Amino acid sequence: SQQGEEDPQALSIQEGENATMNCSYKTSINNLQWYRQNSGRGLVHLILIRSNEREKHSGRLRVTLDTSKKSSSLLITASRAADTASYFCATDGSNDYKLSFGAGTTVTVRA
Amino acid sequence: DGGITQSPKYLFRKEGQNVTLSCEQNLNHDAMYWYRQDPGQGLRLIYYSQIVNDFQKGDIAEGYSVSREKKESFPLTVTSAQKNPTAFYLCASSIRTGGGLQPQHFGDGTRLSIL
């Protein structure tokens, strides 16, 4: 079963704008990860946030985690055409053996 | 250059046929994973292996089989028992540590279709 659920399913923005997507999950976690997938390619790891962290930055990416609400958000600032991709959150639930992925948010950045 | 190589990129299966998807990594990772991705959906775990000669079923293992005879290799066989095999198959690997799963490195996938 899918532990993480992203929202919205799709997002279309103008180049230079910010993109925000959210992830909700159901059970307690050790950490939450965000991945990017370009069309027809494998996933690329973007950022990992641990359950005792509230915010993390990596370049133009900002991730927040609210364990009380069981939710996370990914913000991409100053978007570029190259940011066009699907973005997935993944959680490890209550074990160390497998990640559960959501269905993803498809982001289109218009030039 | 370290990474994960999946082959072939495209594969066609005839009815009643078993096909094997290759996954090789040179990242020295202990853990390897196979996922299935259907259009517009997330990844579903088929099998995973934490160490050589050991593997576990994931959420959708029926109709699939794997082996892990070498650390670098984790081939997936899609058997004739898998009635709906058309999908994008992704292999991944990661290091093993406690305190939560580590980032996974993915190959570029194999797209399997039925002839």
Side-chain angles (χ1 to χ4, degrees):
Chain A
S1 61
Q2 290 182 341
Q3 157 85 309
E5 296 291 339
E6 290 91 345
D7 172 63
Q9 286 186 319
L11 187 56
S12 180
I13 55 173
Q14 201 74 28
E15 204 164 24
E17 293 180 339
N18 296 344
T20 300
M21 60 211 86
N22 303 296
C23 169
S24 60
Y25 57 92
K26 295 172 184 161
T27 64
S28 62
I29 60 172
N30 291 309
N31 63 52
L32 184 145
Q33 302 178 35
W34 284 92
Y35 289 80
R36 184 188 75 232
Q37 183 180 34
N38 291 93
S39 182
R41 303 294 299 273
L43 277 69
V44 174
H45 179 261
L46 295 176
I47 200 163
L48 179 153
I49 186 165
R50 301 195 187 283
S51 59
N52 61 356
E53 296 175 314
R54 291 296 166 258
E55 188 169 314
K56 207 160 180 181
H57 297 255
S58 177
R60 294 183 296 112
L61 305 180
R62 174 179 168 247
V63 168
T64 63
L65 178 64
D66 187 336
T67 52
S68 67
K69 294 181 180 177
K70 291 188 171 56
S71 68
S72 174
S73 68
L74 170 66
L75 167 68
I76 305 172
T77 60
S79 62
R80 306 166 180 168
D83 295 328
T84 293
S86 292
Y87 293 82
F88 296 89
C89 69
T91 56
D92 57 9
S94 57
N95 65 63
D96 283 346
Y97 301 112
K98 58 178 188 174
L99 285 177
S100 295
F101 288 82
T105 293
T106 299
V107 174
T108 303
V109 181
R110 305 186 307 273
Chain B
D1 212 11
I4 296 186
T5 302
Q6 289 188 242
S7 62
K9 193 167 176 65
Y10 300 96
L11 188 57
F12 297 92
R13 194 192 89 169
K14 295 179 182 177
E15 197 155 338
Q17 186 182 43
N18 293 354
V19 291
T20 297
L21 285 60
S22 170
C23 177
E24 304 277 333
Q25 54 100 359
N26 60 6
L27 299 165
N28 200 33
H29 287 168
D30 284 308
M32 296 188 74
Y33 311 84
W34 273 107
Y35 295 94
R36 170 180 172 139
Q37 186 177 30
D38 292 283
Q41 296 189 31
L43 279 62
R44 291 185 289 169
L45 183 65
I46 304 172
Y47 269 97
Y48 62 99
S49 169
Q50 295 283 300
I51 200 165
V52 175
N53 291 323
D54 185 58
F55 50 83
Q56 306 295 328
K57 292 182 179 179
D59 299 319
I60 55 165
E62 188 174 345
Y64 300 97
S65 66
V66 293
S67 63
R68 185 84 188 277
E69 296 174 3
K70 297 187 300 182
K71 187 175 186 177
E72 301 79 22
S73 179
F74 192 39
L76 173 74
T77 296
V78 183
T79 73
S80 57
Q82 174 48 247
K83 297 305 179 190
N84 182 22
T86 297
F88 189 47
Y89 290 87
L90 287 161
C91 179
S93 71
S94 71
I95 62 173
R96 285 181 64 209
T97 63
L101 280 176
Q102 298 305 304
Q104 293 185 8
H105 297 252
F106 284 80
D108 267 341
T110 292
R111 194 166 297 279
L112 176 62
S113 303
I114 296 182
L115 276 178

